Amino acid sequence: MDIVKVALGARAYEVRIGPGLVARAGAEIAPLLKRPKVTIVTEDRVAALHLDALTSALAAEGITSEALVLPPGEATKSWAHLQEVVEGLLAQQVERNDMVVAFGGGVIGDLAGFAAAILRRGVRFVQIPTSLLAQVDSSVGGKTGINSPHGKNLVGAFHQPSLVLADIDVLGTLAPRDFLAGYGEVVKYGGLGSLDFFEWLEAHGPALAEGDRGLRQEAVRRSVQMKADIVARDETEQGDRALLNLGHTFGHALEAATGYSDRLLHGEGVAIGCALAFETSARLGLMSQEAPSRLRAHLAAMGMKRDLADIPGDLPGVDGLMALMAQDKKVEAGRLRFILARAIGAAFVADGVDLGVVRGVLEDGLAGR
Ligand code: GLY
């Protein structure tokens, strides 16, 4: 097992990464509990595959558990389901010192974490992320929340988990498309902060996608280590943490444009968004023209979407996409902020980007459809 520490003083915690962690969850969680009782928040698909294993692992350590099982999918990150979870936790008589267990992908982690943040003004929670995306990104760093009709993740709170258990074995039950969407976030880490990691992914990405568990564990460990280092420097995104949003300004606009549907999964939007951010950087003369081509070549080698042309169905025109980007949380004083890069592994936060160049990148991308 690998352990990555998220060094946040009184809110510090460990991310434990390895095989068999769901089966050992009781032993991992027991030392944190004030009484041997937890409430699990999960969703139908994860429950069908893994809930028995989790409840047995808890019971083996004498921990009783109840589960709130929600529908799968992004639409669950809503006011209505937040209310359902909060009221469900209260009905379970979850107390201030109890532990909530978020057991699922990014949707469940964000929703259950936010419910924990506001229940009785804050109860502790453990993240057991079951998707690659949640293991490398959303379960670590304490961003929790729901979507609003105005946009994604616009309502939420920073609330750090007490522990994260990333079980590499559960990745084996993901559909290939979901696994690769999560891989979009893994590539993001190489793109934003480490050419060395990007080169490692170029060498090992295909074997990792095929199922090599050792390589999967190493990819999760390196991604989480990079995220933990950034979060420890800038927990509430006053500066460097925004680097983790490489590809997200474009990606969120594309997700909104496709109605948060399975036309485009979040990680797919991030991968295309990284390619668009690199292309913008190259056109601004910040990075060589080879860098976006190299990123896109790796995404192609992995069988991933990398261009606007790869998104099925209609998309809005350039004006529509620019308007969707203006709803981004990184808008400051009405100005869009982008994460651009000087090279693969050298991203930076850019204010005052020439929007004409961004429009040109989108126009050319749309023309290729
Ligand atoms: N997913 C970006 C962040 O946690 O800051």
Side-chain angles (χ1 to χ4, degrees):
M1 177 168 79
D2 288 308
I3 296 180
V4 175
K5 292 185 170 33
V6 185
L8 285 171
R11 292 179 310 291
Y13 55 96
E14 290 185 353
V15 183
R16 301 179 190 155
I17 305 158
L21 278 166
V22 169
R24 276 209 318 282
E28 302 286 336
I29 293 172
L32 302 175
L33 301 183
K34 299 263 167 49
R35 62 172 175 161
K37 173 181 188 287
V38 298
T39 304
I40 301 163
V41 181
T42 188
E43 48 101 322
D44 287 321
R45 290 176 313 192
V46 171
L49 289 166
H50 305 297
L51 186 56
D52 284 349
L54 177 59
T55 54
S56 303
L58 293 166
E61 297 296 320
I63 302 167
T64 58
S65 59
E66 296 286 343
L68 304 175
V69 185
L70 299 160
E74 189 70 30
T76 297
K77 260 173 72 171
S78 64
W79 287 107
H81 288 291
L82 176 68
Q83 181 175 8
E84 182 184 338
V85 173
V86 168
E87 295 296 340
L89 293 172
L90 290 171
Q92 292 296 328
Q93 298 178 316
V94 173
E95 297 175 0
R96 188 73 202 282
N97 284 322
D98 283 342
M99 190 71 80
V100 173
V101 176
F103 188 41
V107 166
I108 289 298
D110 286 8
L111 175 67
F114 188 34
I118 59 176
L119 188 80
R120 302 189 192 277
R121 299 204 176 89
V123 301
R124 297 173 305 148
F125 77 117
V126 170
Q127 290 268 20
I128 308 184
T130 57
S131 67
L132 179 59
L133 186 141
Q135 292 194 355
V136 299
D137 186 33
S138 58
S139 68
V140 180
K143 281 190 180 175
T144 70
I146 57 170
N147 302 328
S148 142
H150 290 282
K152 213 173 142 73
N153 296 332
L154 292 181
V155 181
F158 287 99
H159 186 50
Q160 300 293 342
S162 300
L163 175 68
V164 182
L165 300 176
D167 186 337
I168 296 303
D169 287 337
V170 301
L171 301 179
T173 59
L174 294 176
R177 184 180 175 197
D178 289 327
F179 183 88
L180 284 180
Y183 187 81
E185 295 277 2
V186 176
V187 172
K188 175 196 80 175
Y189 287 106
L192 76 90
S194 173
L195 175 60
D196 181 63
F197 185 40
F198 184 80
E199 288 176 340
W200 186 89
L201 292 171
E202 285 180 318
H204 299 296
L208 182 162
E210 282 299 309
D212 186 309
R213 293 193 313 161
L215 293 174
R216 287 180 172 192
Q217 182 164 332
E218 179 63 1
V220 174
R221 184 193 68 77
R222 291 182 74 160
S223 300
V224 169
Q225 185 67 63
M226 288 178 69
K227 179 152 189 181
D229 290 346
I230 290 175
V231 168
R233 290 204 296 275
D234 178 22
E235 182 180 7
T236 58
E237 200 167 311
Q238 307 303 309
D240 272 8
R241 184 165 180 165
L243 297 175
L244 296 171
N245 293 322
L246 175 64
H248 284 62
T249 304
F250 289 106
H252 281 166
L254 295 172
E255 275 185 275
T258 48
Y260 303 103
S261 68
D262 69 358
R263 280 174 61 200
L264 187 73
L265 304 179
H266 173 70
E268 294 173 336
V270 169
I272 295 172
C274 286
L276 292 169
F278 272 26
E279 183 61 31
T280 304
S281 304
R283 290 196 191 185
L284 287 165
L286 295 166
M287 75 175 359
S288 73
Q289 195 51 250
E290 286 74 47
S293 304
R294 185 170 170 187
L295 175 74
R296 292 174 63 262
H298 179 53
L299 297 175
M302 296 297 292
M304 293 170 66
K305 293 184 173 66
R306 55 207 174 274
D307 292 315
L308 296 183
D310 299 325
I311 302 173
D314 292 338
L315 282 181
V318 175
D319 289 339
L321 289 177
M322 294 294 289
L324 288 170
M325 285 200 284
Q327 195 36 283
D328 195 90
K329 286 192 299 316
K330 291 183 295 304
V331 172
E332 270 197 10
R335 292 194 332 170
L336 267 172
R337 311 182 91 185
F338 285 89
I339 312 304
L340 300 179
R342 296 195 171 84
I344 294 177
F348 65 100
V349 182
D351 287 313
V353 173
D354 181 347
L355 294 183
V357 173
V358 178
R359 290 182 69 91
V361 168
L362 291 174
E363 259 156 26
D364 291 349
L366 290 169
R369 282 167 58 83

